Amino acid sequence: MATLLEIQNLHTRFYTQGRVIKAVDGVSYGIDEGETLAVVGESGCGKSVTALSIMGLIPWPPGRITEGQVLYRGQDLLSMNAEQVRQIRGKEISMVFQEPMTSLNPVLTIERQLTETVESHVSLTKKAARQRAVEVLTQVGISDPERRLSQYPHQFSGGMRQRVMIAMALICNPNLILADEPTTALDVTIQAQILELMKELSKQYGAAMILITHNLGIVARYADRVNVMYAGRIIERSTAREIYGNPKHPYTLGLLNSVPRLDETVKKKLVPIEGQPPDLGADTPGCRFLPRCRLGDPQTCGGEFPPLIEVSPGHWSACFKFDQVGKVAS
Amino acid sequence: MTEALTQTAPSNGQPLLEVKNLRMYFPVTQGIVLQRRVGEVKAVDDISFSINQGETLGLVGESGCGKTTTGRCILQLTRPTAGQILFDGEDITKYNNEQLREVRKKIQVIFQDPYSSLNPRMTIGQIIGEGPHVHKITTSKQETESRVKELLALTGLPTDLHSRYPHELSGGQRQRVGIARALSMNPSFIVCDEAVSALDVSIQAQVINLLEELQEKFGLTYLFIAHDLSVVRHISDRVAVMYLGHIAELAASRTLYELPLHPYTQALLSAVPIPDPVVEAEREHVILGGEVPSPLNPPPGCVFHPRCPIATDICRSEVPVFEEKRQGHWVACHHALSERNLAAIEGGKGQAQ
Ligand SMILES: Nc1ncnc2c1ncn2[C@@H]1O[C@H](COP(=O)(O)OP(=O)(O)OP(=O)(O)O)[C@@H](O)[C@H]1O
Ligand SMILES: Nc1ncnc2c1ncn2[C@@H]1O[C@H](COP(=O)(O)OP(=O)(O)OP(=O)(O)O)[C@@H](O)[C@H]1O
Ligand SMILES: [Mg+2]
Ligand SMILES: [Mg+2]
């Protein structure tokens, strides 16, 4: 499969209260046409900031992309002019946010919000745009779409608003959908409805999807490949089966041991990762996971940051001791 | 109606808490000056269960189904519309204020949001020490201080934290402070309302383990409220599944997963993804259509019928009785033991293995 989007050595920083927060600290990954790629990691590790950087939505002040490239079909989005970028963002690349109320305008009808995007990007007539709006609303499972078009966001339930967000993301036939925790705020039966819908429609549209989540179950159910993030970096990458079945980073293993499984037959004691995630504003040398790691030692891991290397075909790990992960009793 | 039901779901051992036919209806009013009552929200509508000494009962269900309201009734933070709450055999809904003050020491709560449940102007030491001081569990300043230090150590917090403020702590640390505060009164029963829901998985596991250790150490009894079924099933001995103010099913954790008799439980289990791509690829996903109806205007008959794949006429007109269909396994469904339902469970299993 051809690479659709390639992020290279991305650095995004926030300058606040005299401190520099390295929210994204050298992230590189690619996504192929049509695939579903997950980015998983705990709160504050830089998942959203990575997505916002791709979309050019980092607010300055306080944030800025300081280094790196975001290549969309070979062209760097970060060095394009505003008009070129506008043609791609929102049309070929669209985004679904965690909280639909922050991205839906409360004083505009659903129709206005849906048609605005198509009219500005694909120059459809008003009538054609409306028709397209009805079409996508139907696809996302909203009944009586004609009537719904004249309503406002507050007249929709949380699950329905999320469907509208998805409709908005699909209306221009995107090639890539960035879905940032698209169902985190929803109940699990609604979450399942929405995720099935997104899977179905991304397949139908042939769109690739970057699925950002902290839920390891969702990743297991929907993702082809997985990037595990910790403290602003990708620390492991592989297929979902490899990541879960044969993790090569102690943080990944730690995450897997932390979550209770619905299908556990005998009760297993959870093995938490001790300590706290690091302060992204502190400049500590070496591996950022070292203070919480059961495997690491300052001699091996306290000097330079372990680079992300290919430890077996298609499986990448940023750990000097990758070959001992899961082997020693921990 | 299920008015006649006075039994509660039993299990071995002595019940510490018994909830009988609990109802909590909130009035809905209209008008600002002259408030007219235009209806009521049936937040909790006739639920019964019991919790044994030293046991953890999980309470799961989707947003708005009445979990928090149930917890608040037990804590006597709201006076229920009807029903009994027996604590140690005595109906605390009949207690006067003096009696309530006493029993409240025994029944404590840990909330979801460690950020908003701690007073930002108090030090951690003051927050934890307040209860013992006010209730004269400790009698001197030194005694309170040493009690605080003991509780900090017990919950895995550094003892020098006592002079710090909540905003200086991480989410996981704040949740531990919440636990320490609950323990400060030497309770026997703790309502944990989404106590780990806001935490990252690695921190969540720390707090779950802590709750389990404390239970073992002090013989605590928990009502563990959460919407995450995997977490609830892990920590609970038995689990009650709520839907729109009713308990749909109550069974031992293991039974609930292996033989879910209520179609809602089946759908809920199926909707929860398991963190294992190999298992997920094999599993059948039953996706429930529609959304939860408003509790202001619940459907007649079985409240689940509009979304239920096996509903029939009787479900649209008659409220199913919450009864013990198998030993220790309580279900409110007209078709719980029907061939069709049992076949569906078997079918789902076949797919899963
Ligand atoms: N506008 C901002 N100003 C300052 N710091 C910011 C800003 N936005 C994000 N950050 C910081 O950047 C880091 C990464 O944040 P990000 O939102 O990407 O995390 P995340 O992985 O998406 O977490 P979550 O799972 O909680 O959504 C955090 O430490 C955060 O505090
Ligand atoms: N004080 C109140 N006045 C009126 N209605 C209320 C009140 N408290 C709760 N309700 C309603 O009662 C129902 C049950 O609410 P409750 O908070 O118990 O749900 P829950 O299961 O805890 O949900 P969540 O998972 O979102 O916390 C909801 O419809 C809610 O809007
Ligand atoms: Mg985020
Ligand atoms: Mg609640």
Side-chain angles (χ1 to χ4, degrees):
Chain A
M1 276 275 197
T3 303
L4 180 64
L5 185 89
E6 177 92 44
I7 302 165
Q8 288 179 350
N9 198 28
L10 184 72
H11 289 73
T12 306
R13 296 181 175 179
F14 291 95
Y15 302 85
T16 50
Q17 297 169 344
R19 281 160 38 98
V20 184
I21 311 288
K22 296 179 177 171
V24 177
D25 195 22
V27 161
S28 305
Y29 64 81
I31 175 163
D32 292 343
E33 309 257 2
E35 88 168 319
T36 296
L37 179 85
V39 178
V40 67
E42 294 179 284
S43 190
C45 70
K47 304 182 295 295
S48 295
V49 173
T50 306
L52 294 173
S53 302
I54 296 171
M55 294 300 284
L57 294 173
I58 298 295
W60 170 259
R64 174 170 280 173
I65 297 172
T66 56
E67 211 182 317
Q69 292 185 310
V70 177
L71 303 174
Y72 177 73
R73 294 195 160 144
Q75 291 177 286
D76 185 11
L77 294 176
L78 302 184
S79 55
M80 281 182 188
N81 68 37
E83 183 47 32
Q84 290 172 310
V85 166
R86 207 186 59 85
Q87 276 306 313
I88 293 174
R89 289 182 182 136
K91 176 171 180 284
E92 301 195 25
I93 306 176
S94 60
M95 190 154 175
V96 179
F97 295 90
Q98 169 168 0
E99 184 29 76
M101 264 331 238
T102 58
S103 34
L104 290 174
N105 188 331
V107 298
L108 293 183
T109 62
I110 298 299
E111 172 164 10
R112 271 290 295 282
Q113 311 202 35
L114 281 169
T115 54
E116 211 161 57
T117 337
V118 248
E119 281 171 23
S120 70
H121 279 119
V122 254
S123 55
L124 287 182
T125 63
K126 252 203 147 52
K127 195 165 158 232
R130 188 184 156 92
Q131 212 166 7
R132 176 76 184 131
V134 170
E135 189 178 53
V136 281
L137 282 183
T138 310
Q139 281 176 339
V140 298
I142 288 183
S143 54
D144 201 4
E146 313 262 356
R147 186 178 59 88
R148 286 297 195 169
L149 277 180
S150 61
Q151 295 188 325
Y152 293 87
H154 71 90
Q155 292 170 290
F156 288 68
S157 70
M160 302 249 287
R161 284 200 283 263
Q162 204 54 284
R163 286 170 192 266
V164 172
M165 281 295 303
I166 296 168
M168 245 160 110
L170 289 174
I171 200 161
C172 296
N173 286 308
N175 294 316
L176 175 64
I177 302 168
L178 289 179
D180 188 1
E181 310 266 7
T183 58
T184 306
L186 303 174
D187 275 327
V188 351
T189 62
I190 308 297
Q191 173 177 304
Q193 288 173 6
I194 300 283
L195 288 169
E196 288 299 316
L197 179 74
M198 293 190 73
K199 185 174 100 179
E200 181 97 348
L201 290 175
S202 62
K203 203 186 276 168
Q204 196 177 318
Y205 278 76
M209 181 155 71
I210 297 178
L211 180 61
I212 297 172
T213 178
H214 63 270
N215 184 321
L216 290 162
I218 289 176
V219 173
R221 189 178 282 191
Y222 296 102
D224 304 316
R225 285 196 299 152
V226 185
N227 280 305
V228 184
M229 256 186 113
Y230 188 76
R233 299 186 183 224
I234 307 279
I235 54 91
E236 186 166 10
R237 159 173 43 246
S238 193
T239 60
R241 284 187 187 233
E242 269 287 296
I243 291 282
Y244 286 77
N246 186 26
K248 289 285 176 227
H249 195 288
Y251 175 63
T252 311
L253 181 66
L255 278 184
L256 292 170
N257 287 337
S258 297
V259 284
R261 286 174 60 141
L262 186 61
D263 62 343
E264 65 185 18
T265 44
V266 278
K267 183 162 167 165
K268 266 199 277 181
K269 201 161 168 62
L270 302 178
V271 189
I273 303 170
E274 297 305 335
Q276 308 287 333
D279 177 356
L280 298 182
D283 241 329
T284 41
C287 177
R288 305 305 295 271
F289 188 59
L290 178 59
R292 306 176 75 186
C293 187
R294 289 162 198 261
L295 212 56
D297 64 77
Q299 217 127 54
T300 319
C301 313
E304 59 166 322
F305 194 92
L308 189 63
I309 55 163
E310 194 165 13
V311 298
S312 64
H315 195 152
W316 302 66
S317 165
C319 175
F320 292 122
K321 300 188 158 193
F322 69 87
D323 54 347
Q324 290 167 48
V325 175
K327 297 242 161 65
V328 292
S330 57
Chain B
M1 289 302 285
T2 51
E3 197 63 79
L5 178 79
T6 45
Q7 284 171 284
T8 49
S11 72
N12 318 318
Q14 200 59 32
L16 177 66
L17 183 91
E18 283 180 84
V19 170
K20 293 184 178 178
N21 305 103
L22 181 71
R23 289 193 162 89
M24 186 67 228
Y25 296 175
F26 293 106
V28 179
T29 53
Q30 222 171 44
I32 296 160
V33 186
L34 288 172
Q35 294 205 335
R36 255 183 329 121
R37 202 179 155 119
V38 292
E40 49 198 4
V41 175
K42 298 183 172 176
V44 170
D45 197 9
D46 193 8
I47 66 170
S48 301
F49 59 85
S50 69
I51 313 180
N52 292 327
Q53 184 75 52
E55 186 192 35
T56 300
L57 179 77
L59 195 57
V60 281
E62 298 180 278
S63 187
C65 69
K67 305 181 296 293
T68 295
T69 304
T70 304
R72 288 176 59 86
C73 286
I74 293 171
L75 292 157
Q76 288 290 296
L77 295 171
T78 35
R79 289 283 186 158
T81 312
Q84 292 178 298
I85 294 165
L86 305 184
F87 185 74
D88 247 343
E90 287 190 44
D91 187 357
I92 59 172
T93 64
K94 305 256 161 30
Y95 274 11
N96 63 29
N97 286 342
E98 182 58 34
Q99 289 171 302
L100 272 182
R101 212 177 357 258
E102 274 310 301
V103 79
R104 281 210 178 109
K105 292 187 210 160
K106 298 273 156 240
I107 309 178
Q108 288 289 310
V109 60
I110 303 164
F111 292 105
Q112 161 165 22
D113 192 355
Y115 303 82
S116 65
S117 66
L118 304 178
N119 185 337
R121 273 187 278 274
M122 282 165 74
T123 65
I124 301 306
Q126 287 166 335
I127 289 170
I128 299 172
E130 191 185 24
H133 173 68
V134 170
H135 285 95
K136 307 220 163 45
I137 292 174
T138 52
T139 49
S140 67
K141 205 169 164 226
Q142 286 88 329
E143 209 186 327
T144 306
E145 222 159 80
S146 71
R147 177 83 181 130
V148 167
K149 293 221 161 106
E150 187 189 319
L151 287 161
L152 286 171
L154 199 60
T155 49
L157 289 166
T159 43
D160 60 9
L161 221 63
H162 71 96
S163 55
R164 309 265 289 277
Y165 289 88
H167 74 266
E168 299 173 67
L169 274 53
S170 72
Q173 286 177 323
R174 279 187 265 225
Q175 201 52 285
R176 286 172 194 266
V177 171
I179 296 171
R181 178 177 57 183
L183 289 175
S184 71
M185 307 296 291
N186 294 319
S188 51
F189 182 78
I190 302 180
V191 175
C192 307
D193 190 354
E194 307 278 4
V196 299
S197 307
L199 305 173
D200 266 322
V201 291
S202 71
I203 311 297
Q204 187 179 65
Q206 295 174 5
V207 176
I208 290 173
N209 284 356
L210 173 65
L211 287 170
E212 289 183 332
E213 283 159 25
L214 293 170
Q215 177 168 50
E216 209 159 290
K217 204 178 258 171
F218 301 110
L220 295 169
T221 305
Y222 293 142
L223 176 65
F224 192 88
I225 298 173
H227 59 270
D228 184 332
L229 194 48
S230 311
V231 169
V232 169
R233 188 171 175 259
H234 174 85
I235 199 167
S236 307
D237 301 300
R238 292 184 302 143
V239 176
V241 178
M242 274 189 93
Y243 187 81
L244 212 60
H246 297 256
I247 295 183
E249 184 161 9
L250 193 163
S253 295
R254 184 160 183 177
T255 313
L256 193 86
Y257 177 74
E258 287 174 356
L259 191 74
L261 286 177
H262 199 290
Y264 177 61
T265 313
Q266 292 161 23
L268 207 55
L269 288 166
S270 176
V272 176
I274 293 170
D276 184 336
V278 180
V279 171
E280 276 298 327
E282 302 290 310
R283 257 179 117 203
E284 190 192 17
H285 302 147
V286 186
I287 306 298
L288 203 57
E291 305 195 11
V292 182
S294 156
L296 237 165
N297 193 6
C302 171
V303 284
F304 185 59
H305 87 252
R307 301 175 81 191
C308 182
I310 60 167
T312 58
D313 282 342
I314 187 177
C315 309
R316 288 180 265 276
S317 56
E318 263 177 60
V319 178
V321 180
F322 180 62
E323 57 189 4
E324 193 169 15
K325 302 278 186 189
R326 298 190 169 195
Q327 192 176 1
H329 193 158
W330 293 65
V331 193
C333 171
H334 293 297
H335 302 304
L337 297 177
S338 72
E339 254 166 55
R340 185 159 171 223
N341 190 34
L342 294 174
I345 300 167
E346 274 313 304
K349 277 256 170 57
Q351 291 277 345
Q353 275 149 19

